[in-house]
Amino acid sequence: MASMNQLIAANKRNSWLIMSLMFFVLVILGVAIGLAFTSADPFGGLVGAAIAGVIAFGVSLFGFFGGDSAILSMSDAKEIRHADNPQLFNVVEEMSIAAGLPMPKVYVIDDPSPNAFATGRDPAHASITVTSGLLAKLKRDELQGVVAHEMSHVRNYDIRFAMLMAILVGTIVLVSDAFLRSMSMGGRLRSKGKGGGAAVIVIVIIAALFAIVAPLLARLIQLAVSRQREYLADASGAELTRYPEGLANALEKIAADTEPLDEANRATAHLYIVNPVMRLEGRTGESAWDSHPPIRERIQRLREMK
């Protein structure tokens, strides 16, 4: 079996490969839309690609430096100090030392539903967020397992990947939706000379089809990679605690809890250790559209580690 360091290195490489693929999809979408709106003029395709590239770079830059603050604000997470919850701080400190990482900032969401997530652009600018319900309902070794899982997301650079992926997928969706809306509202396309009409129609049809397929393709790629990262974070977290049963028990309690997480939404749900939207909708992780793998399979893998 590959060592954990090899898996983490592969994780980083795959992150950039997938990010590049997403960027490519967005640029090709820009080319198709540019050609559609300039009657198949190659210059229009270049302009479309350039605009898409600038948009992708801009939103990625925003996500890289400000995405974590936006996520924490959206989740109504409040930063706490050691005196506010010494046990939580001690557990986070223990796991940061075990992982060889700087101490992340610690946030709490005042919500009875047990859950947690990590965010940030790199280990030096990371934060770990837990709900008050998690603190109330888990034993210390279970809390340690959850924190180790989230610390593994930090160590494996999943936090950067998840944040930038969400932004690029969202951009692809917005660009596609804007183009399709302009078509449905009767947006007028220029035609150049006789005989150009058929070519323009073909280009428009191709652009419209790609605008429909691109968001679905981007979302499927994002979800497939997200599920693999959850497995890796479980394994990496168990390596940090040397006690996989703690995380396995925590996952059982979180999955069985019936309290809704009011601060979660579809934009942030994929960040949590257990997807709160999936859980409330009764989804099991068997679908390609699920961001997390099946809980029972995650628990089984953890218990087999013993």
Side-chain angles (χ1 to χ4, degrees):
M1 292 179 64
S3 71
M4 194 60 65
N5 286 337
Q6 289 173 320
L7 289 173
I8 292 170
N11 210 11
K12 291 179 182 179
R13 289 194 302 271
N14 292 338
S15 293
W16 289 110
L17 286 173
I18 297 297
M19 290 290 294
S20 299
L21 177 60
M22 287 295 188
F23 191 88
F24 178 74
V25 169
L26 184 56
V27 169
I28 293 299
L29 180 61
V31 171
I33 294 173
L35 289 173
F37 276 100
T38 57
S39 303
D41 187 339
F43 181 73
L46 291 175
V47 170
I51 293 173
V54 169
I55 291 173
F57 179 77
V59 295
S60 296
L61 200 64
F62 167 78
F64 189 80
F65 289 104
D68 57 338
S69 297
I71 290 168
L72 291 167
S73 177
M74 189 185 306
S75 304
D76 199 23
K78 303 291 189 281
E79 186 175 3
I80 65 169
R81 306 296 178 187
H82 185 279
D84 298 317
N85 194 311
Q87 177 175 273
L88 174 59
F89 255 80
N90 290 340
V91 168
V92 175
E93 189 173 31
E94 289 168 6
M95 292 301 96
S96 65
I97 292 171
L101 299 177
M103 176 73 177
K105 293 180 179 180
V106 182
Y107 288 78
V108 172
I109 299 172
D110 186 15
D111 193 290
S113 178
N115 224 314
F117 69 86
T119 189
R121 65 178 182 266
D122 55 42
H125 302 87
S127 62
I128 288 180
T129 301
V130 302
T131 64
S132 57
L134 190 86
L135 297 174
K137 296 174 181 178
L138 298 191
K139 298 177 181 177
R140 192 184 193 282
D141 63 318
E142 295 165 349
L143 175 64
Q144 188 180 58
V146 170
V147 170
H149 173 99
E150 299 306 333
M151 193 67 70
S152 295
H153 278 313
V154 175
R155 183 173 70 158
N156 301 347
Y157 283 78
D158 291 338
I159 52 174
R160 174 192 294 174
F161 175 83
M163 192 164 55
L164 294 179
M165 276 286 286
I167 288 170
L168 279 179
V169 171
T171 303
I172 290 172
V173 171
L174 288 174
V175 170
S176 300
D177 187 59
F179 172 68
L180 293 174
R181 282 177 181 273
S182 72
M183 298 296 297
S184 65
M185 292 174 65
R188 299 180 64 183
L189 305 177
R190 295 190 298 109
S191 62
K192 295 177 61 178
K194 294 181 179 180
V200 171
I201 291 172
V202 171
I203 291 293
V204 170
I205 291 173
I206 292 173
L209 289 174
F210 195 74
I212 294 170
V213 172
L216 301 177
L217 175 63
R219 183 68 174 152
L220 281 172
I221 293 171
Q222 179 193 27
L223 294 175
V225 176
S226 175
R227 288 192 292 273
Q228 292 306 311
R229 287 170 185 278
E230 290 303 318
Y231 282 132
L232 179 57
D234 285 346
S236 186
E239 181 194 40
L240 295 180
T241 62
R242 306 296 182 186
Y243 185 59
E245 189 67 20
L247 179 55
N249 290 339
L251 289 174
E252 280 187 332
K253 286 187 177 180
I254 295 171
D257 195 88
T258 57
E259 291 278 0
L261 183 53
D262 294 331
E263 302 302 334
N265 55 58
R266 293 185 184 278
T268 60
H270 68 284
L271 297 173
Y272 288 86
I273 187 169
V274 172
N275 186 314
V277 175
M278 279 176 53
R279 180 172 61 80
L280 288 177
E281 292 179 350
R283 287 151 55 194
T284 61
E286 306 286 353
S287 168
W289 297 102
D290 291 333
S291 62
H292 288 53
I295 289 288
R296 64 178 181 278
E297 189 170 330
R298 293 171 66 184
I299 293 170
Q300 180 181 346
R301 289 190 182 199
L302 285 165
R303 288 182 170 153
E304 286 175 352
M305 289 181 183
K306 295 190 297 182

